[in-house]
Coordinates of all heavy atoms in Angstrom, one line a residue:
L163 N 103.3 108.0 118.2 CA 102.7 108.1 119.5 C 103.4 107.4 120.7 O 103.1 107.8 121.8 CB 101.2 107.6 119.4 CG 100.3 108.3 118.3 CD1 98.9 107.7 118.3 CD2 100.1 109.8 118.7
Y164 N 104.1 106.4 120.3 CA 104.8 105.6 121.4 C 106.3 105.8 121.4 O 107.0 104.9 121.9 CB 104.4 104.1 121.2 CG 103.0 103.9 121.1 CD1 102.3 103.9 119.8 CD2 102.2 103.7 122.3 CE1 100.9 103.7 119.8 CE2 100.8 103.5 122.2 CZ 100.2 103.5 121.0 OH 98.8 103.4 120.9
M165 N 106.8 106.8 120.7 CA 108.2 107.0 120.6 C 108.7 108.4 121.1 O 107.8 109.3 121.1 CB 108.6 106.8 119.1 CG 108.3 105.5 118.5 SD 108.7 105.3 116.8 CE 110.5 105.3 116.9
S166 N 109.9 108.5 121.4 CA 110.5 109.8 121.8 C 112.0 109.8 121.3 O 112.7 108.8 121.6 CB 110.4 110.0 123.3 OG 111.1 111.2 123.7
R167 N 112.3 110.8 120.6 CA 113.7 110.9 120.0 C 114.0 109.7 119.1 O 115.1 109.2 119.2 CB 114.7 111.1 121.1 CG 114.5 112.3 121.9 CD 115.5 112.5 123.0 NE 115.3 113.7 123.8 CZ 116.0 114.1 124.8 NH1 117.1 113.3 125.2 NH2 115.8 115.2 125.5
G168 N 113.0 109.2 118.4 CA 113.3 108.1 117.5 C 113.3 106.7 118.0 O 113.5 105.8 117.3
Q169 N 113.0 106.6 119.4 CA 113.0 105.3 120.0 C 111.8 105.1 120.8 O 111.2 106.0 121.3 CB 114.2 105.2 121.0 CG 115.6 105.3 120.3 CD 115.9 104.1 119.4 OE1 115.4 103.0 119.7 NE2 116.6 104.3 118.4
P170 N 111.2 103.8 120.9 CA 110.1 103.5 121.7 C 110.3 104.0 123.1 O 111.4 103.9 123.7 CB 110.0 102.0 121.7 CG 110.6 101.6 120.4 CD 111.8 102.6 120.2
A171 N 109.3 104.7 123.7 CA 109.5 105.2 125.1 C 108.3 104.9 125.9 O 107.2 104.5 125.5 CB 109.6 106.8 124.9
Q172 N 108.5 105.0 127.2 CA 107.4 104.8 128.2 C 106.4 105.9 128.2 O 106.7 107.0 127.7 CB 108.0 104.6 129.6 CG 108.6 105.9 130.2 CD 109.1 105.8 131.6 OE1 109.0 106.7 132.3 NE2 109.5 104.6 132.0
R173 N 105.2 105.6 128.6 CA 104.1 106.6 128.6 C 103.9 107.0 130.1 O 103.4 106.3 130.9 CB 102.9 106.0 128.0 CG 103.1 105.6 126.6 CD 101.8 104.9 126.0 NE 100.7 105.7 125.8 CZ 99.5 105.3 125.4 NH1 99.3 104.0 125.2 NH2 98.5 106.1 125.3
G174 N 104.4 108.2 130.4 CA 104.3 108.7 131.8 C 102.9 108.7 132.3 O 102.7 108.5 133.6
M175 N 101.9 109.0 131.5 CA 100.5 109.1 132.1 C 100.0 107.8 132.6 O 99.0 107.7 133.3 CB 99.6 109.6 130.9 CG 99.5 108.7 129.7 SD 98.5 109.3 128.4 CE 96.9 109.2 129.2
L176 N 100.7 106.6 132.3 CA 100.2 105.3 132.7 C 101.1 104.8 133.8 O 100.7 103.7 134.3 CB 100.2 104.4 131.5 CG 99.3 104.7 130.3 CD1 99.5 103.6 129.2 CD2 97.9 104.8 130.7
L177 N 102.1 105.4 134.2 CA 103.0 104.9 135.2 C 102.4 104.5 136.5 O 102.9 103.6 137.3 CB 104.2 105.8 135.4 CG 105.2 106.0 134.3 CD1 106.2 107.0 134.7 CD2 105.8 104.6 133.9
H178 N 101.3 105.2 136.9 CA 100.7 104.9 138.2 C 99.5 103.9 138.1 O 98.9 103.6 139.1 CB 100.1 106.2 138.8 CG 101.2 107.2 139.1 ND1 102.2 107.0 140.1 CD2 101.5 108.4 138.5 CE1 103.0 108.0 140.1 NE2 102.6 108.9 139.2
D179 N 99.3 103.3 137.0 CA 98.3 102.3 136.8 C 98.8 100.9 137.1 O 100.1 100.7 137.1 CB 97.7 102.3 135.3 CG 96.8 103.5 135.1 OD1 96.4 104.2 136.1 OD2 96.5 103.7 133.9
E180 N 97.9 100.0 137.3 CA 98.3 98.6 137.6 C 98.8 98.0 136.3 O 98.5 98.4 135.2 CB 97.2 97.8 138.1 CG 96.6 98.3 139.4 CD 97.4 97.9 140.6 OE1 98.3 97.1 140.4 OE2 97.2 98.5 141.7
D181 N 99.7 96.9 136.4 CA 100.2 96.3 135.1 C 99.0 95.7 134.3 O 99.1 95.9 133.1 CB 101.1 95.1 135.6 CG 102.4 95.6 136.1 OD1 102.6 96.8 136.1 OD2 103.3 94.7 136.5
F182 N 98.0 95.2 134.9 CA 96.9 94.7 134.2 C 96.2 95.8 133.3 O 95.9 95.6 132.2 CB 95.8 94.2 135.2 CG 94.6 93.7 134.5 CD1 94.4 92.3 134.2 CD2 93.5 94.5 134.3 CE1 93.2 91.9 133.6 CE2 92.3 94.1 133.7 CZ 92.2 92.8 133.4
T183 N 96.1 97.0 133.9 CA 95.4 98.0 133.2 C 96.3 98.6 132.1 O 95.8 98.9 131.0 CB 95.1 99.2 134.2 OG1 94.3 98.7 135.3 CG2 94.3 100.3 133.5
I184 N 97.6 98.7 132.3 CA 98.5 99.2 131.3 C 98.5 98.3 130.1 O 98.3 98.7 128.9 CB 99.9 99.3 131.8 CG1 100.0 100.3 132.9 CG2 100.9 99.6 130.7 CD1 101.3 100.4 133.7
V185 N 98.5 97.0 130.3 CA 98.5 96.0 129.2 C 97.2 96.0 128.5 O 97.1 96.0 127.2 CB 98.8 94.6 129.7 CG1 98.6 93.6 128.6 CG2 100.2 94.5 130.2
A186 N 96.1 96.1 129.2 CA 94.8 96.2 128.6 C 94.6 97.4 127.7 O 94.0 97.4 126.6 CB 93.7 96.2 129.7
K187 N 95.1 98.6 128.1 CA 95.0 99.8 127.4 C 95.8 99.7 126.1 O 95.3 100.1 125.0 CB 95.4 101.0 128.2 CG 94.4 101.3 129.3 CD 94.9 102.5 130.1 CE 93.9 102.8 131.2 NZ 94.3 103.9 132.1
Y188 N 97.0 99.2 126.2 CA 97.9 99.1 125.0 C 97.1 98.1 124.0 O 97.1 98.3 122.7 CB 99.2 98.5 125.3 CG 100.3 99.6 125.6 CD1 100.4 100.2 126.8 CD2 101.2 99.9 124.6 CE1 101.4 101.1 127.1 CE2 102.2 100.9 124.8 CZ 102.2 101.5 126.0 OH 103.2 102.5 126.3
Q189 N 96.6 97.0 124.5 CA 95.9 96.0 123.6 C 94.7 96.6 122.9 O 94.5 96.3 121.7 CB 95.6 94.8 124.4 CG 94.9 93.7 123.5 CD 95.8 93.0 122.6 OE1 96.9 93.4 122.3 NE2 95.4 91.9 122.1
A190 N 94.0 97.4 123.7 CA 92.7 98.0 123.1 C 93.1 98.9 121.9 O 92.5 98.9 120.9 CB 92.0 98.8 124.2
E191 N 94.2 99.7 122.1 CA 94.6 100.6 121.0 C 95.2 99.8 119.8 O 94.9 100.1 118.6 CB 95.7 101.5 121.5 CG 95.1 102.5 122.6 CD 96.3 103.3 123.3 OE1 97.4 103.0 123.0 OE2 95.9 104.2 124.0
Y192 N 96.0 98.8 120.1 CA 96.6 98.0 119.0 C 95.6 97.2 118.3 O 95.5 97.1 117.0 CB 97.7 97.1 119.6 CG 98.3 96.1 118.6 CD1 99.1 96.6 117.6 CD2 98.1 94.8 118.7 CE1 99.7 95.7 116.7 CE2 98.7 93.9 117.8 CZ 99.4 94.4 116.8 OH 100.0 93.5 115.9
R193 N 94.6 96.5 119.0 CA 93.6 95.7 118.4 C 92.7 96.5 117.5 O 92.3 96.0 116.4 CB 92.8 94.9 119.5 CG 91.7 94.0 118.9 CD 91.0 93.3 120.1 NE 90.4 94.3 120.9 CZ 90.7 94.3 122.2 NH1 91.5 93.5 122.8 NH2 90.0 95.2 123.0
G194 N 92.3 97.7 117.9 CA 91.4 98.5 117.1 C 92.0 98.8 115.8 O 91.3 98.8 114.8

């Protein structure tokens, strides 16, 4: 879900969010 062509890749759908929000979303998915 976090890779493209075999390598970790950025998530375009989050590029316009604040850094705080991006980190919080990643942590919610990982922690769950």
